[in-house]
Amino acid sequence: MEELKKKIREVPDFPKPGILFYDLTTLLKDRDGLRQIVEILSERYIQEGIDQVLGIESRGFIFAPAVALNIGAGFVPVRKPGKLPAETLSHSYELEYGQDTLEIHRDAVEPGQRILIVDDLIATGGTAAATAQMALNLGADIAEFAFMVELEFLNGREKLNGHEVFSILKY
Ligand code: AMP
């Protein structure tokens, strides 16, 4: 895991002063790093009967389809507002300053389907919690949340109401 951590570039003061940004592009371009990440997740979920992998825009889109393919599940995009063309469900949530909204197609998940929710990183947990709310409103059964990176000091997993949370690298 320490080897994987070395492949992540840490950029201070991006996108604004005081934020240490975990830049996964340096891990993605590394063929061993990329394979390891996708393998860890695929091995963890291949026997779990997952129907759909939900990836959160934008960086969840990088990992979710790769894992979905490996475990024989479908891929569902959770998107920023106004991007999905058919009927959507949306959920707004509070940010440090202001509000954000995510959307999912109403027919993306069938009631009772078992889903995995994937994003690159969990910080405060607001993004993942909003996605969980929409998935639950569609009647999904949330198997687990999976992140490449967890910023443990922000306690994001506490926002996920007792759902299972897996993260590969913790800071
Ligand atoms: P949150 O809703 O606070 O858990 O924020 C999670 C989302 O913001 C994820 O989609 C991340 O890609 C992004 N994010 C938040 N903080 C960071 C950070 N320090 N480095 C990289 N991405 C971040």
Side-chain angles (χ1 to χ4, degrees):
M1 292 304 157
E2 286 309 309
E3 287 306 306
L4 274 177
K5 275 191 177 178
K6 283 188 201 146
K7 298 182 197 286
I8 295 176
R9 175 164 49 199
E10 299 178 16
V11 184
D13 300 320
F14 183 88
K16 53 185 181 184
I19 303 281
L20 179 63
F21 191 88
Y22 292 87
D23 174 17
L24 273 75
T25 64
T26 44
L27 178 148
L28 290 166
K29 74 171 183 177
D30 181 297
R31 68 190 78 190
D32 296 325
L34 177 61
R35 185 181 346 94
Q36 261 180 288
I37 289 279
V38 173
E39 275 178 8
I40 289 169
L41 295 177
S42 303
E43 281 166 20
R44 184 172 176 87
Y45 298 110
I46 189 136
Q47 308 279 15
E48 288 299 318
I50 306 291
D51 297 300
Q52 304 290 354
V53 181
L54 273 59
I56 306 176
E57 186 168 0
S58 306
R59 289 183 291 272
F61 289 3
I62 298 166
F63 302 99
V67 175
L69 269 171
N70 277 342
I71 67 173
F75 164 67
V76 170
V78 173
R79 299 212 60 180
K80 309 239 162 90
K83 304 281 187 188
L84 291 170
E87 209 186 325
T88 58
L89 196 69
S90 67
H91 193 86
S92 297
Y93 57 103
E94 300 300 318
L95 296 175
E96 198 178 344
Y97 302 102
Q99 248 201 3
D100 224 338
T101 302
L102 287 172
E103 292 186 347
I104 190 170
H105 272 145
R106 278 185 184 269
D107 62 1
V109 179
E110 309 284 327
Q113 279 194 322
R114 211 164 141 71
I115 65 156
L116 170 69
I117 297 174
V118 174
D119 203 359
D120 65 330
L121 179 147
I122 180 168
T124 66
T127 308
T131 302
Q133 196 50 58
M134 291 190 293
L136 292 174
N137 288 345
L138 292 178
D141 167 19
I142 301 174
E144 195 157 80
F145 291 82
F147 304 96
M148 310 317 116
V149 173
E150 176 177 11
L151 305 185
E152 286 187 299
F153 55 93
L154 293 174
N155 298 319
R157 60 168 71 215
E158 282 173 18
K159 280 216 185 82
L160 301 179
N161 297 331
H163 288 294
E164 297 295 325
V165 177
F166 174 68
S167 58
I168 299 176
L169 303 170
K170 298 176 203 307
Y171 291 86

